[in-house]
Amino acid sequence: MHLSRFPRTRLAHLPTPLEPMPRLSKELGVEIWIKRDDCTGLSTGGNKTRKLEFLMGEALEQGADMVMTQGATQTNHGRQTAAAAAKLGLACHLLFEDRTGYNNANYNNNGNVLLDHLHGATTQKFPGGHDMPAEMERAAERKRAEGHKVYVIPGGGSNPTGALGYVNCAFEMVSQANDMGLRIDRVVHATGSSGTQAGLVTGFCAMNAQIPVLGIGTRAPRPKQEDMLFSLATRTSEKLGCPGVVTREDVVANTDYVGDGYGLPTESGLEAIRMFAELEGILLDPCYSAKGAAGMIDLARKGTFKDQRIVFVHTGGAAALGGYDFAFDTANAWVEL
Ligand SMILES: *Cc1c(COP(=O)(O)O)cnc(C)c1O
């Protein structure tokens, strides 16, 4: 696979570490490693940075002076897009959909939102259930009428161009595993707009790595999630020049850990945050990586991964924690000695 054929701009610190998690593994009785894509380096890191290397590469090639994207208020994708735009000298406009209904001050102004503003992005908010892609097209047309050359990035950066970032991650992971003599039996991670999983699956299939990927859902029900994934993996493999390498069976999502809905913390997710933080010194976020980890932890406890070596891809998101302080009970941490 020859990714240098595609426009790309370097934004991430790569390769990200592939490390064991000995204390969590002992706790669960399953060997679990972690691919630290929370350490991609751009404005506290995360999975969108890999996608943005290819998306921003295309934006620059097209001569854009402004990028636009959309997501939930605490979108990690928006924050990484704002940082990438700042680094490349482009303007950035973010459209937020209120998907949680939280009117809490930290949720609306802290965490990722604060970082968006520090990176110089302008922001705009819409009610939940709004047609965000249509709203973004309208906003882009308005800016084009003012003379801007606008490059529009879909929510989550999930199109075949963005997914190339995770095709690259699949190559990187296999190469690291080969160097270490590490057999990987399964990769697990949180899935949302599906570019991460579509890219990983396409990359592994194109290499014939024979590493199954399990996406833990954070929003859509299983049939919708898998249809979205398969469609994007199909289009990504066509873009790569290896159409048909991904079969429907390669695309697997478990959506049992979404809870009450997108962006709403779950008990099992909060437990996963505490376990990673207290056993490994690693921060997860309530919206994505905690739900992905919660699924992995529950399946490990149920014996699903017996005798398997699992790699958890940490997709980032801890920058959102400051917007979710209300979800954590930390009163017992204050003591008098
Ligand atoms: C966006 C995001 C995901 C989901 O990745 P997709 O490519 O949208 O499926 C997972 N974790 C975090 C922290 C994210 O920001």
Side-chain angles (χ1 to χ4, degrees):
M1 268 326 117
H2 187 194
L3 289 175
S4 311
R5 291 180 291 135
F6 302 101
R8 177 177 178 188
T9 181
R10 302 288 161 153
L11 298 168
H13 296 174
L14 302 179
T16 58
L18 175 61
E19 297 171 334
M21 290 198 285
R23 297 210 334 124
L24 184 70
S25 300
K26 184 153 179 266
E27 175 77 21
L28 295 173
V30 175
E31 189 180 336
I32 300 174
W33 288 57
I34 186 164
K35 177 69 172 153
R36 297 294 304 268
D37 271 18
D38 57 322
C39 300
T40 49
L42 184 72
S43 183
T44 80
N47 62 340
K48 304 312 181 305
T49 302
R50 286 188 191 268
K51 302 179 184 182
L52 285 163
E53 289 200 334
F54 291 91
L55 291 162
M56 289 300 205
E58 204 170 85
L60 292 177
E61 194 186 60
Q62 293 177 12
D65 65 358
M66 175 176 237
V67 292
M68 259 187 211
T69 196
Q70 57 96 3
T73 308
Q74 283 293 338
T75 169
N76 300 299
H77 167 64
R79 181 244 316 154
Q80 287 159 89
T81 303
K87 186 174 162 72
L88 299 170
L90 309 181
C92 176
H93 182 65
L94 304 174
L95 295 91
F96 297 152
E97 178 188 5
D98 178 13
R99 292 192 201 154
T100 63
Y102 290 141
N103 47 29
N104 172 296
N106 276 338
Y107 181 81
N108 288 289
N109 301 302
N110 206 333
N112 281 305
V113 180
L114 173 64
L115 304 188
D116 296 337
H117 293 157
L118 292 179
H119 290 304
T122 53
T123 54
Q124 203 180 351
K125 194 158 204 166
F126 298 89
H130 216 74
D131 183 348
M132 295 301 285
E135 202 57 67
M136 187 154 65
E137 258 326 306
R138 261 197 293 280
E141 278 314 316
R142 228 165 286 150
K143 283 295 174 183
R144 285 177 187 129
E146 289 174 17
H148 280 288
K149 184 105 173 83
V150 183
Y151 181 82
V152 172
I153 301 175
S158 285
N159 59 16
T161 302
L164 292 178
Y166 272 86
V167 171
N168 187 42
C169 180
F171 297 160
E172 185 181 297
M173 217 182 321
V174 168
S175 159
Q176 285 173 315
N178 288 345
D179 286 348
M180 287 188 243
L182 190 79
R183 190 196 73 243
I184 300 174
D185 296 309
R186 187 178 306 276
V187 163
V188 180
H189 67 88
T191 184
S193 64
S194 86
T196 301
Q197 190 170 357
L200 285 174
V201 169
T202 305
F204 287 146
C205 286
M207 272 183 291
N208 191 22
Q210 302 179 19
I211 300 174
V213 180
L214 174 62
I216 308 287
T218 54
R219 189 176 190 187
R222 181 171 175 172
K224 184 174 174 197
Q225 186 70 36
E226 290 188 347
D227 285 351
M228 197 162 67
L229 270 164
F230 186 52
S231 161
L232 184 52
T234 302
R235 287 176 286 134
T236 305
S237 51
E238 283 162 6
K239 186 177 178 78
L240 269 177
C242 50
V245 285
V246 178
T247 66
R248 182 63 183 78
E249 290 69 47
D250 295 319
V251 161
V252 184
N254 178 324
T255 58
D256 295 345
Y257 303 92
V258 176
D260 291 335
Y262 175 88
L264 306 177
T266 56
E267 273 311 311
S268 62
L270 297 176
E271 185 203 11
I273 290 178
R274 286 215 181 267
M275 286 176 78
F276 272 65
E278 294 182 8
L279 293 170
E280 298 291 345
I282 293 173
L283 295 172
L284 304 176
D285 77 292
C287 182
Y288 289 103
S289 51
K291 289 184 181 178
M296 178 180 70
I297 289 166
D298 185 51
L299 294 171
R301 284 175 174 154
K302 287 176 173 157
T304 308
F305 304 138
K306 193 170 167 349
D307 300 326
Q308 294 184 4
R309 182 180 290 122
I310 304 296
V311 174
F312 179 71
V313 179
H314 189 339
T315 43
L321 284 169
Y324 278 96
D325 60 324
F326 57 87
F328 302 96
D329 180 7
T330 54
N332 289 340
W334 294 100
V335 296
E336 298 289 342
L337 296 183

